[in-house]
Amino acid sequence: MICDTPPRSGWLLLMVAVGWLGCMTGPAPEEGEPAVQTSEALSVSAAICGGPRDLQCRKTAYCQTPVGRCAGPKQFGICHARPQICPDVFNPVCGCDGQTYANTCQAARAGTSVAHTGACAPPACTSNADCAAGNFCQQPVGQCGGTGTCTAEPQICPDIFDPVCGCDGRTYPNSCNASAAGVNVASTGQCPAQQTCGGIAGIPCPGAGRCVDDPNDSCDPNNGGADCGGICVCIETQLCVVGSHFDSSPQVCACVPDA
């Protein structure tokens, strides 16, 4: 498209200052993506959006900006009508809203410009609570704390017995089963026997672990068994220095160096 020299009106001078955004007529199709747009989608409303005042578009439009430059305090855009029809082509892009879309047209239809080509990176997390429903905070094998990425919990797992020890101290048939339960893998193989504590010797738990009654024995300290042995569980966390993370497995329950 060829842009004529804009008249000296206030809003057009502002458009020139932010990089000739007035030359943009719609999201450029990806390579191999047919340009299927409606006439409404190609129209320009002449309204400026974004910037320090966070100017908003009407609900039927979106704030279009160049790829990789999302609207913000230092980036203006132009309100364009959202396309009503998009091609059935898979060229994923990451929208400025942090969501992945099949192509640029689908992003525009949802009301967002493109942050970058390709799918969005999984959101970072430190616990399952940071992730959406049906996702868990996946971390590398052997790491039971620190930063991970939100990953979908598998719905179907192979019927293979390759046991792993989960960060919750339980043994799972395989790593897929642990992930399906929203649990990371502390180590391959079955979990070691639960560490005992308390009793006559008053054995303490490692790290920040807490000694609780063992539900698998008949001795109950609440019913007169003052010398009952217990098992260690990790139900506390603590702040760790840079270069380390909290290992919440019952066998450790303390800050350990990053791998």
Side-chain angles (χ1 to χ4, degrees), residues 179-202:
S179 297
V183 177
N184 285 298
V185 175
S187 61
T188 57
Q190 299 187 30
C191 293
Q194 289 181 308
Q195 181 161 350
T196 58
C197 55
I200 297 177

Side-chain angles (χ1 to χ4, degrees), residues 95-125:
C96 287
D97 59 357
Q99 301 296 314
T100 298
Y101 295 93
N103 52 57
T104 56
C105 180
Q106 292 287 2
R109 186 178 183 183
T112 183
S113 284
V114 176
H116 62 77
T117 56
C120 298
C125 56

